[in-house]
Amino acid sequence: MNAAVATSVLGVFMVLTVALGLLAARGPRKGRGTDGGGLAEWSVGGRSLGTVFIWVLMAGEGYTSFSYLGAAGWGYNYGAPVLYVVAYMSCGYALGYVVGPMLWAYARRHGLVGITDMVAHRFGRPWLGALVAVLATVFLLPYIQLQITGMGVVVSTISYGAISLNWAYFIAFAVTTGFVVVSGLRGSAWVSVLKDVLVIATLGFLVVYVPLHYFDGYGAFLDRLVTEKSEWLTFPGHGDSGLGQAWFITTSFLNSLTVVIFPTTVAGYLGAKNADVLRRNAMLLPAYNVLLFVPMLLGMAALFVVPGLVGAESNLALFKLVVDSLPAWVVGVVGVAAALSSIVPMAVFMLVIGTMWGRSVLSLVPRWERRQKGAAQSVVVAAGVIALVLTYTAPNTLVRLSLISYEGMAQLLPMVLLGLVWRRLTLAGALSGLVVGVGAVCGFVFTGNDPVWGVNAGVVALGANLLVALAVTCAGPRERDDRPDDEVLARDEIGVPEGAGGPAGDSGRTGASGKVPAPGAPASGVPASGEIPASG
């Protein structure tokens, strides 16, 4: 009976999710007159999303199945080190206050729809955008597989085992692929609204219910935690994790830098209707981080209620508390919130991979150049199928790759951000640094040396990346660039006020002529983004 009730609740909300995605496809149709406009509408919501939609979309990307599973699991296994998620996301939002409007204005000015476009435009090399698309896909694909895995675990658990893991994996793939292919970023934003309502409601309920039900209040719970589990409240946490203060600081630093150029984050930036939306969003998003304390706290509460969880079982710490003590319909609602926390970020990951390939890789083939949206949608389906097949056949392969996702993506920082704000950075310098950085990350991770010397290996790799990029740039010949200054990065795009020289405002006006277009972009103007590891 419990299984039937919880499964029925899940089924109703999955149908509602698909319906929202289809309804979003009937949104504003402005800009769909050409394939380029259609791609912009599908991939970045026609650059028309306001503060609320951008807020829920970007919060949805940050609040994944990790938040229900991995955060509780890390709280259960280690304790204090899991707080790095709150630290880096809050710092990343602060950096996004500056970086978000800068990237939005640059992309709007030149008709770009992602970081691959920006890199290709900045260095005037279409093949470079394709290279970055392939590299970014390697680091994003594991997240799709992890969200499929996370949703499968959630659905199977809240259905009391009535839905097998294999069917739960397929449901995650089918629901997400169905609405993202049809409605794109706008559909993800609409579903994010439903997801956030449920997340706030369920976590708000659980943070009150669990301490009262199991411990007679917070006082008794915290007293037991301090006296019996004090090791979980200090660094490096419980056990020989190696996750000490140096690791915490360097991981928070690296991830806060990386998240602002993560392709899925940039998709959110570029979906905004103006730069002020992004600035307001950067101020509001940290409030959402308060919710992340709930699964972390409940994970530590599970230490007393369901002791002895080991390995991947620890990721179910929160759901063990829920399934064992709440009515089936409540279990179903909590499970839906967790399932949508997998679907929304998975949709954005798939959307971004499709856009990067449709815009930067397949557009190099003449027959696909004028059918970018169709190509991107085809890649979305292909990426989802690959992740689903690997979930069934090699569940641990991509889990290993996920360990280097953030650290690997961080190696794009010099090419993307430094390349935009420092015009002298050469293609040879940026590529040399990228090769060294990615090579160092892979070397550290796959030899079991992360952390290295007690710090995040990605920071060490990024330092080497930056040094090589600067050395090669300064030692080599200066590249000829005949474009006007505002074609690289206009002064208004980094916040120089009007009257200080150069064009002002960030309203997305086109720059001067003579730009090097991104692959498939118009020549000018704006056209008519196993164990659940702790990767936030």
Side-chain angles (χ1 to χ4, degrees), residues 321-374:
L321 302 179
V322 171
V323 171
D324 290 346
S325 63
L326 289 170
W329 71 270
V330 179
V331 172
V333 173
V334 174
V336 168
L340 290 179
S341 294
S342 295
I343 289 174
V344 170
M346 181 164 56
V348 180
F349 296 146
M350 294 167 70
L351 177 73
V352 166
I353 289 175
T355 301
M356 289 190 303
W357 278 72
R359 182 78 164 179
S360 300
V361 180
L362 299 180
S363 64
L364 297 178
V365 181
R367 63 177 295 187
W368 287 103
E369 185 175 0
R370 296 190 178 278
R371 292 187 291 172
Q372 293 175 9
K373 180 180 176 182

Side-chain angles (χ1 to χ4, degrees), residues 67-93:
S67 305
Y68 277 90
L69 300 174
W74 265 47
Y76 187 96
N77 287 329
Y78 307 119
V82 74
L83 293 174
Y84 89 94
V85 179
V86 178
Y88 95 76
M89 290 183 70
S90 298
C91 293
Y93 295 145

Side-chain angles (χ1 to χ4, degrees), residues 136-498:
T137 299
V138 171
F139 296 129
L140 284 178
L141 196 59
Y143 278 93
I144 300 177
Q145 189 263 349
L146 288 173
Q147 300 312 316
I148 290 176
T149 302
M151 182 173 173
V153 170
V154 168
V155 171
S156 182
T157 302
I158 63 105
S159 69
Y160 299 87
I163 300 177
S164 69
L165 278 174
N166 287 340
W167 273 110
Y169 295 154
F170 182 79
I171 291 171
F173 161 76
V175 171
T176 306
T177 305
F179 84 78
V180 78
V181 166
V182 174
S183 59
L185 190 72
R186 190 181 299 278
S188 298
W190 282 40
V191 175
S192 287
V193 175
L194 172 64
K195 186 219 70 168
D196 282 7
V197 170
L198 290 175
V199 165
I200 292 171
T202 55
L203 291 183
F205 166 74
L206 290 175
V207 76
V208 175
Y209 171 79
V210 169
L212 288 176
H213 179 77
Y214 288 107
F215 304 96
D216 295 325
Y218 269 98
F221 165 54
L222 294 177
D223 182 63
R224 287 192 65 183
L225 191 60
V226 170
T227 56
E228 299 178 33
K229 305 290 183 181
S230 59
E231 188 180 3
W232 275 256
L233 301 177
T234 59
F235 290 105
H238 170 67
D240 186 21
S241 66
L243 308 178
Q245 296 178 21
W247 173 88
F248 182 90
I249 293 170
T250 53
T251 300
S252 300
F253 171 74
L254 182 76
N255 285 14
S256 64
L257 287 175
T258 306
V259 73
V260 299
I261 59 104
F262 220 74
T264 49
T265 305
V266 175
Y269 290 156
L270 304 191
K273 63 183 179 181
N274 58 55
D276 284 338
V277 165
L278 296 177
R279 296 186 182 101
R280 286 193 295 269
N281 189 61
M283 293 186 288
L284 294 172
L285 272 172
Y288 203 90
N289 276 5
V290 174
L291 290 175
L292 288 171
F293 285 103
V294 178
M296 297 173 187
L297 192 66
L298 298 184
M300 289 188 278
L303 286 167
F304 304 103
V305 180
V306 283
L309 299 179
V310 295
E313 276 190 323
S314 63
N315 291 308
L316 295 174
L318 185 153
F319 282 94
K320 292 288 186 182
L321 302 179
V322 171
V323 171
D324 290 346
S325 63
L326 289 170
W329 71 270
V330 179
V331 172
V333 173
V334 174
V336 168
L340 290 179
S341 294
S342 295
I343 289 174
V344 170
M346 181 164 56
V348 180
F349 296 146
M350 294 167 70
L351 177 73
V352 166
I353 289 175
T355 301
M356 289 190 303
W357 278 72
R359 182 78 164 179
S360 300
V361 180
L362 299 180
S363 64
L364 297 178
V365 181
R367 63 177 295 187
W368 287 103
E369 185 175 0
R370 296 190 178 278
R371 292 187 291 172
Q372 293 175 9
K373 180 180 176 182
Q377 290 171 322
S378 300
V379 172
V380 162
V381 177
V385 169
I386 291 171
L388 180 65
V389 170
L390 288 173
T391 301
Y392 289 135
T393 60
N396 293 324
T397 299
L398 291 182
V399 169
R400 289 195 70 195
L401 287 176
S402 71
L403 297 175
I404 65 171
S405 290
Y406 255 77
E407 296 172 8
M409 197 70 73
Q411 308 314 313
L412 291 172
L413 278 164
M415 182 176 286
V416 177
L417 284 189
L418 183 60
L420 289 182
V421 300
W422 188 43
R423 185 172 182 178
R424 191 180 169 192
L425 180 67
T426 62
L427 176 61
L431 276 178
S432 300
L434 181 64
V435 170
V436 169
V438 172
V441 165
C442 293
F444 285 133
V445 170
F446 290 114
T447 59
N449 290 303
D450 185 16
V452 56
W453 307 309
V455 304
N456 187 296
V459 168
V460 178
L462 181 60
N465 179 343
L466 187 59
L467 287 175
V468 169
L470 293 175
V472 172
T473 295
C474 294
R478 186 163 186 170
E479 291 181 349
R480 179 180 174 83
D481 190 348
D482 295 326
R483 290 175 289 172
D485 288 343
D486 67 346
E487 289 302 303
V488 179
L489 183 66
R491 294 186 69 185
D492 64 292
E493 291 165 3
I494 55 174
V496 176
E498 188 169 0

